Amino acid sequence: MTSFAFTFPGQGSQAVGMGKELAETYPEARAVFAEVDEALGQKLSTVMFEGPEDNLRLTENAQPALMAVSVALARVLETRGVRLAEHAAYVAGHSLGEYSALCAAGTFSLIDAARLLKTRGQAMQKAVPVGHGAMAALLGLDLATAREVAAEAGQGEVCEVANDNAPGQIVVSGATAAVERAVELAKGKGAKRALLLPVSAPFHCSLMQPAAESMAAALAEVEMHAPVVPVVSNVLATPISEPAEIRQRLVEQVTGVVRWTESVTWLTKEGGVTNLVELGTGKVLTGLAKRINPDVSAIAIGTPADIDAFVAQVLS
C-alpha cells in the first residue's frame, strides 16, 4: 500500500524565476501569487520571477515567496484531483516550510500565512544585528559530535545545533566568533567539510528569542484550524493537529532545532510513509530524504511536467 507525505522546503531553495512557469501555465497558481502580492502590499511575484537575486534572498521576501510556490503547487494538484486530505497521510515542512505545510493543509489562510512569514522574516532579521550572528554546516559529523563542537566553541557565547538535516549534515548557529570557532574545531573532530553559510542571521538558536516573542504575538492574532492531515512538527519530530499546540510549537521553532532527520525517520518508520513528495522550489528535501532513508521513494514536484507525471501516477 502506497502512503504519501507531502514535504515543503525551507529557506535556501529560493531562485530567481521561481513560480514563473507555474504562473504562465495555471490560473490557480496565478491566483495564489496575486493574493500573496495583495496581502503583503508588494509585487513579490515580480521579485520571484525577475529578481534581483539580492532582493529575493532577503529573509522577509524569501520566506513568503517559497510558501507561495509550495501552496500554488498544492492548489494546482487539488484542481487536478490530487487532494491533500485524500492522498496524503501527513505533511511536514523544513523551518518556514512548516507554514507552507500548514497553509496547504488548511490551518492558515493564504493571506495569514504570507503575512506571518513576512513578520517572521523581519523579526528574525532584526533579532541580531547584521554581522553579529552566523551559521555553519558541519559535514560528516554525527549529531552528538556536532553538539560537542558547539558546546566547546561557545566559550560564553551562543553556539548551538540549529538543523539536523540528514546524517552527516548538521548546521550550527550563534554568535559569529563562536560559529567560526566551531568550523575550526569540527575539522579537528573528523568533519569532511565545515563551512560558513551565506545567511543574514543566526536562525534556530537562542539569539532568536526576540523573534520568537514577535511570532507569539503575531500567531495569537491569527485564526487557525486543525490541518486536514497531521503535521510533523519540526521541534517534536512527531505529528500534531491541535491548533493551540501548533501555535506553541511554531513559536518554539524560531529558537529550536529543526529535527529533520528525526521527522523523516518518524514518517517512514512509525508513520508508514512509502513516498515523500516535495512540493516547492528546488529538490533539497528530496536529496535529504534519500540520505536519511535510502529505501523510501522521494520525488520533487516543481514544474508542470512534474505535476503531469505525478497526477498520472496517483490517479492511474
Side-chain angles (χ1 to χ4, degrees), residues 276-294:
L276 291 168
V277 181
E278 180 176 4
L279 292 186
T281 304
K283 300 181 177 182
V284 170
L285 299 184
T286 302
L288 294 178
K290 289 171 178 170
R291 291 184 62 174
I292 295 165
N293 184 345

Side-chain angles (χ1 to χ4, degrees), residues 95-131:
S95 190
L96 84 90
E98 195 157 24
Y99 287 79
S100 311
L102 288 163
C103 181
T107 294
F108 296 127
S109 71
L110 180 60
I111 287 171
D112 284 339
R115 289 177 178 160
L116 283 168
L117 285 172
K118 187 79 172 176
T119 299
R120 185 176 183 269
Q122 290 171 335
M124 287 173 129
Q125 195 57 69
K126 270 198 312 212
V128 178
V130 173

Side-chain angles (χ1 to χ4, degrees), residues 140-312:
L141 293 187
D142 61 30
L143 183 57
T145 308
R147 287 207 168 106
E148 284 171 22
V149 167
E152 202 176 318
Q155 296 179 20
E157 296 183 290
V158 170
C159 186
E160 297 162 5
V161 169
N163 299 24
D164 175 11
N165 285 331
Q169 191 178 323
I170 313 291
V171 175
V172 294
S173 181
T176 302
V179 172
E180 287 170 347
R181 286 193 293 271
V183 167
E184 291 312 309
L185 283 165
K187 291 171 184 171
K189 287 192 187 277
K192 289 183 188 143
R193 286 179 72 203
L195 62 158
L196 291 170
L197 296 175
V199 294
S200 52
F203 306 130
H204 298 292
C205 75
S206 52
L207 294 176
M208 287 286 118
Q209 187 55 37
E213 288 160 16
S214 298
M215 289 314 296
L219 285 158
E221 299 294 313
V222 169
E223 186 179 358
M224 292 172 64
H225 306 280
V228 294
V229 295
V231 61
V232 175
S233 156
N234 278 192
V235 296
L236 297 177
T238 52
I240 55 175
S241 291
E242 175 58 47
E245 181 168 24
I246 291 170
R247 186 180 277 116
Q248 177 193 340
R249 302 306 180 188
L250 287 174
V251 173
E252 290 172 6
Q253 191 224 62
V254 178
T255 57
V257 181
V258 177
R259 295 168 62 182
W260 195 250
T261 299
E262 292 172 86
S263 296
V264 171
T265 300
W266 190 93
L267 283 166
T268 57
K269 299 279 174 62
E270 286 89 336
V273 168
T274 52
N275 291 61
L276 291 168
V277 181
E278 180 176 4
L279 292 186
T281 304
K283 300 181 177 182
V284 170
L285 299 184
T286 302
L288 294 178
K290 289 171 178 170
R291 291 184 62 174
I292 295 165
N293 184 345
D295 298 328
V296 76
S297 162
I299 62 167
I301 296 180
T303 67
D306 296 337
I307 290 168
D308 290 343
F310 184 62
V311 170

Side-chain angles (χ1 to χ4, degrees), residues 64-80:
L66 286 159
M67 182 278 298
V69 172
S70 288
V71 172
L73 286 159
R75 295 263 173 101
V76 171
L77 286 174
E78 296 246 340
T79 63
R80 302 284 298 276

